[in-house]
Amino acid sequence: MGTVKEAGDPRVRMWAPVGQAIALLLGPYAEVVLHDPDTDCILAIWHPMTAREPGDPSLLGELDALDPSARDVFGPYEKLLADGRRLSSVSAVLRGPDGGATAVLCVNLDRTPLEQAAAVLSAFGAPSAARPQPFSSRTGTSRSSTLSAPTCAMAAVRWSG
């Protein structure tokens, strides 16, 4: 489920249960990444969606362009994978006892299944024929009032039995 750079890194030992828990809850649609803000490298990754692995560049600089949504939290913000999948991402700065940033935890959620479900729901019950002429409250007539009496009588016989 996950890969870690160094099992001996105290940050990985501390945050691995959190990364694993989030990946288990949201998998297989989410990747969870623990980053080292000092080296800008990946420390650990659970359920990777790309070929990234521990030791690869983190590219945390993208967070500089974002305004925090809460103290030490960025996002949700959109990311795009090389294969075209859209992700919703959120990043949290994890601080040590001295208040310094020791790690950054990112959760990247693949929105594809949500977008597919939304498309199915919006198509469900969608009209497949043109909308009929509306009833006119001013004249008390509708499109059906233009039918002749014999036509209506024949339709009543057909529907009644």
Side-chain angles (χ1 to χ4, degrees):
M1 151 161 319
T3 56
V4 293
K5 182 178 180 183
E6 295 177 31
D9 188 311
R11 296 168 295 179
V12 174
R13 283 196 316 270
M14 175 180 280
W15 296 106
V18 174
Q20 291 169 341
I22 294 169
L24 283 169
L25 177 65
L26 300 176
Y29 305 110
E31 106 179 328
V32 182
V33 187
L34 186 65
H35 302 275
D36 182 334
D38 295 327
T39 64
D40 197 28
C41 289
I42 294 173
L43 288 169
I45 186 166
W46 295 270
H47 192 267
M49 291 186 191
T50 64
R52 297 188 313 164
E53 57 185 31
D56 286 350
S58 291
L59 308 174
L60 290 173
E62 67 186 10
L63 297 179
D64 294 339
L66 301 174
D67 290 327
S69 51
R71 184 175 178 266
D72 291 336
V73 176
F74 296 87
Y77 54 94
E78 186 175 67
K79 293 179 86 168
L80 190 63
L81 292 178
D83 64 8
R85 287 182 291 166
R86 294 175 4 155
L87 306 177
S88 287
S89 300
V90 65
S91 299
V93 177
L94 307 175
R95 299 193 177 276
D98 65 352
T102 61
V104 176
L105 185 72
C106 297
V107 179
N108 302 311
L109 181 68
D110 182 355
R111 293 174 25 188
T112 304
L114 299 172
E115 290 168 350
Q116 289 170 340
V120 167
L121 290 174
S122 67
F124 183 73
S128 59
R131 191 170 90 182
Q133 178 182 1
F135 180 79
S136 172
S137 60
R138 190 165 44 89
T139 63
T141 62
S142 70
R143 181 174 55 99
S144 62
S145 67
T146 61
L147 296 175
S148 66
T151 304
C152 289
M154 287 176 27
V157 169
R158 257 195 323 234
W159 290 336
S160 65

